[in-house]
Amino acid sequence: MHLILITILALAFAVTAGPAQTSMDAVAIRGATELTPFAALGSARAAAGAHCHDLWRQRGERIAQELRPAWVPAAVCDRAVERFLCAQHPLDMLKIVDRDDHEREHEFGTSWQTTLWVAEDPKAVEVSERRLRAALVQLREQALMFLLGTSCWWGLLAFLVGWVDRLSRGYMTARLSMIGVALGLSIPSIAFLL
């Protein structure tokens, strides 16, 4: 009886422990054919970096759609994702699992082509994804502060224009309204571009 219970517990632990371990799915990335082995490796590393950049662009778009509230424009989130991707070094998030070098003889000489088997480093992916989420949450907070600041600015302008219009007894109503509209639109636009 105890042996059956221990076997069941061991199987249950193995089943629950299995999915918790991250499996590294390696992808073959082939570089261009080059005239030196060093250039072939560089080409394969550049292709691996481009592959990782594309993966992160898709992941960043998915995370941005998940975290973006309706009042934040999609272009602003896309720009934040691009800034994040530019700050990342793609090869830091990849592990080179295997490398395959092909040497070919041609009538003009020898050419080399390198294939790298790469997999994402789970720890680096987790850290980078956490940083991207934090950057998007910070962007959301900045956009909220911008909207609140713009609302306060427009309220202050309406109060000042109304106060000065009352002091002038309606003499400059049209001019003051135009100045208020110009300031109300230009200052938030400049702040948004910065």
Side-chain angles (χ1 to χ4, degrees), residues 17-141:
Q21 298 172 349
T22 57
S23 63
M24 293 189 355
D25 296 326
V27 177
I29 304 293
R30 180 173 291 148
T33 304
E34 300 288 344
L35 296 177
T36 64
F38 183 73
L41 177 61
S43 174
R45 288 175 63 89
H51 171 73
C52 183
H53 188 78
D54 291 341
L55 283 177
W56 272 97
R57 179 181 311 279
Q58 293 170 4
R59 188 175 286 143
E61 289 172 359
R62 179 183 49 81
I63 292 172
Q65 287 177 356
E66 175 185 319
L67 294 178
R68 182 179 71 85
W71 43 268
V72 175
V76 173
C77 282
D78 292 342
R79 192 168 56 181
V81 170
E82 282 300 320
R83 275 196 309 263
F84 173 79
L85 290 176
C86 289
Q88 294 294 316
H89 194 277
L91 293 179
D92 290 342
M93 292 181 272
L94 294 178
K95 286 184 178 180
I96 298 176
V97 178
D98 197 9
R99 175 180 168 180
D100 186 24
D101 294 317
H102 285 284
E103 182 178 344
R104 295 184 184 98
E105 292 294 329
H106 304 281
E107 55 189 44
F108 61 84
T110 306
S111 68
W112 285 269
Q113 187 173 26
T114 300
T115 302
L116 295 176
W117 290 86
V118 296
E120 288 186 314
D121 183 10
K123 291 179 184 176
V125 168
E126 181 183 345
V127 168
S128 296
E129 191 168 325
R130 196 176 320 125
R131 273 191 278 168
L132 176 60
R133 286 182 183 275
L136 290 172
V137 167
Q138 181 182 10
L139 173 74
R140 183 175 60 194
E141 292 171 358

